[in-house]
Amino acid sequence: MSYELKSAGALSGEPCRYGESRLLVRGPERILDGPYVAFLGGTEVYGRFVEFPFVDSLQTQLGMDCVNLGSVNAGLDSFVQDETLIGIAREAEVSVLQMLGAQNISNPYYRVHPRRNDRFLQAHPALKTLYPEVDFTEFHFNKHLLCTLRDISGQRFEQVREQLQRSWVERMSLLIEHLDGRVLLLWLRYELDAGAGFTEEPVLIDRAMADALRPKVQGILELRTESAAAARDIAGMIFGQMELPAARHMIGPKEHLKIAEALAGRLAPLIRE
């Protein structure tokens, strides 16, 4: 098997920003003067290490501009707080919103970075009271924090998990409301390596949470997919010499094509409506 050992900067579609947004999203920047479909999501929507992410394939299949607002390491809060990107998505014919992990949102227990939502910034008093033995200055990433809390006390961790899931449903409902409900939710599910701390992406998302949102949107597309390593889908990915370990955990080009085919069947009737 051969790999494209080049910098990810060699990808088509260099990162770009729209208007006053501070979030770097996948390019090329689109001219928004005609009908289009908007895609909001994280690393999977962005298509890290993939030359032609599923958004690009869909533009060809749908015959309509597809605006990729995916951003590497973005979480739900990245979009809820970004008026520019919400405005772009609101003007779309329909928006595809990826169901991102519940660990990467600010909540009553801790605060995350406003754009790189996977970064842990600060524990709130409620979490310090729940886990008085923990030195929270040692943590930089939310997954590391949550795995440690779970290992210390599974019983106390359940309180954290329940709060994260409540906060996620509330935040998703708010974003869907901002987009006037013209939303197709994309639930990309894939297993994580045993050493990842959690078993599946998106982290802490279950069917009850999806069902709570179902009446508010135009549909939910649930897809089982695989990482590039699990799918033997690394050939054709573009990454630098030191980036192979990260690329193995991403979704590869063949999986992106499968996602595009599934989305095309769901989006076409919504666009006609």
Side-chain angles (χ1 to χ4, degrees):
M1 182 180 295
S2 61
Y3 308 126
E4 293 285 341
L5 291 175
K6 300 187 286 186
S7 166
L11 291 172
S12 62
E14 292 290 330
C16 66
R17 288 189 177 95
Y18 286 92
E20 297 181 0
S21 173
R22 297 181 63 188
L23 195 68
L24 276 173
V25 300
R26 182 74 181 248
E29 183 175 350
R30 303 292 182 186
I31 298 173
L32 305 175
D33 59 357
Y36 60 86
V37 180
F39 296 78
L40 298 95
T43 303
E44 294 83 6
V45 173
Y46 183 93
R48 190 180 183 196
F49 304 129
V50 175
E51 185 168 9
F52 299 108
F54 66 80
V55 176
D56 288 8
S57 300
L58 276 164
Q59 178 155 305
T60 301
Q61 294 183 49
L62 296 174
M64 178 179 290
D65 280 346
C66 291
V67 182
N68 192 334
L69 302 178
S71 185
V72 174
N73 295 321
L76 179 54
D77 281 3
S78 299
F79 301 103
V80 170
Q81 301 172 16
D82 196 311
E83 294 182 4
T84 298
L85 298 186
I86 287 176
I88 291 172
R90 188 188 296 120
E91 294 301 317
E93 300 298 301
V94 63
S95 293
V96 175
L97 174 59
Q98 183 186 5
M99 292 171 58
L100 298 164
Q103 82 279 17
N104 292 337
I105 58 174
S106 290
N107 59 82
Y109 283 119
Y110 60 85
R111 184 165 63 92
V112 305
H113 191 282
R115 289 176 299 282
R116 294 189 61 125
N117 293 165
D118 61 325
R119 302 292 181 96
F120 169 78
L121 290 186
Q122 181 185 34
H124 292 318
L127 189 57
K128 294 178 181 178
T129 300
L130 187 62
Y131 283 91
E133 70 271 45
V134 175
D135 179 3
F136 292 99
T137 62
E138 297 179 354
F139 300 99
H140 302 286
F141 293 93
N142 304 323
K143 278 187 182 178
H144 180 206
L145 167 70
L146 294 179
C147 288
T148 302
L149 299 182
R150 185 181 58 188
D151 290 344
I152 291 172
S153 172
Q155 183 176 10
R156 282 181 280 169
F157 178 75
E158 283 302 298
Q159 297 181 51
V160 178
R161 180 186 62 79
E162 290 171 5
Q163 180 59 68
L164 286 174
Q165 292 177 326
R166 283 197 300 271
S167 295
W168 184 91
V169 171
E170 292 170 359
R171 208 74 45 85
M172 282 288 285
S173 298
L174 178 63
L175 182 53
I176 292 165
E177 182 180 338
H178 285 329
L179 300 178
D180 299 326
R182 296 198 311 277
V183 173
L184 175 67
L185 294 181
L186 177 61
W187 191 1
L188 295 177
R189 306 181 65 180
Y190 59 98
E191 293 183 0
L192 295 169
D193 291 345
F198 291 94
T199 59
E200 185 178 90
E201 283 281 3
V203 171
L204 299 178
I205 304 301
D206 61 28
R207 193 160 304 282
M209 298 162 72
D211 288 342
L213 299 175
R214 200 176 297 274
K216 306 174 188 290
V217 298
Q218 294 185 315
I220 300 176
L221 177 58
E222 178 182 350
L223 289 175
R224 277 279 178 188
T225 185
E226 293 183 300
S227 67
R232 301 183 182 273
D233 195 17
I234 299 175
M237 297 178 80
I238 298 177
F239 47 84
Q241 205 162 19
M242 304 298 292
E243 296 174 317
L244 175 58
R248 290 172 57 85
H249 296 290
M250 301 297 112
I251 294 176
K254 293 178 183 177
E255 293 291 280
H256 273 267
L257 288 174
K258 287 167 54 178
I259 294 168
E261 291 173 3
L263 273 170
R266 294 294 296 271
L267 283 171
L270 294 178
I271 293 170
R272 286 197 296 270
E273 290 175 7

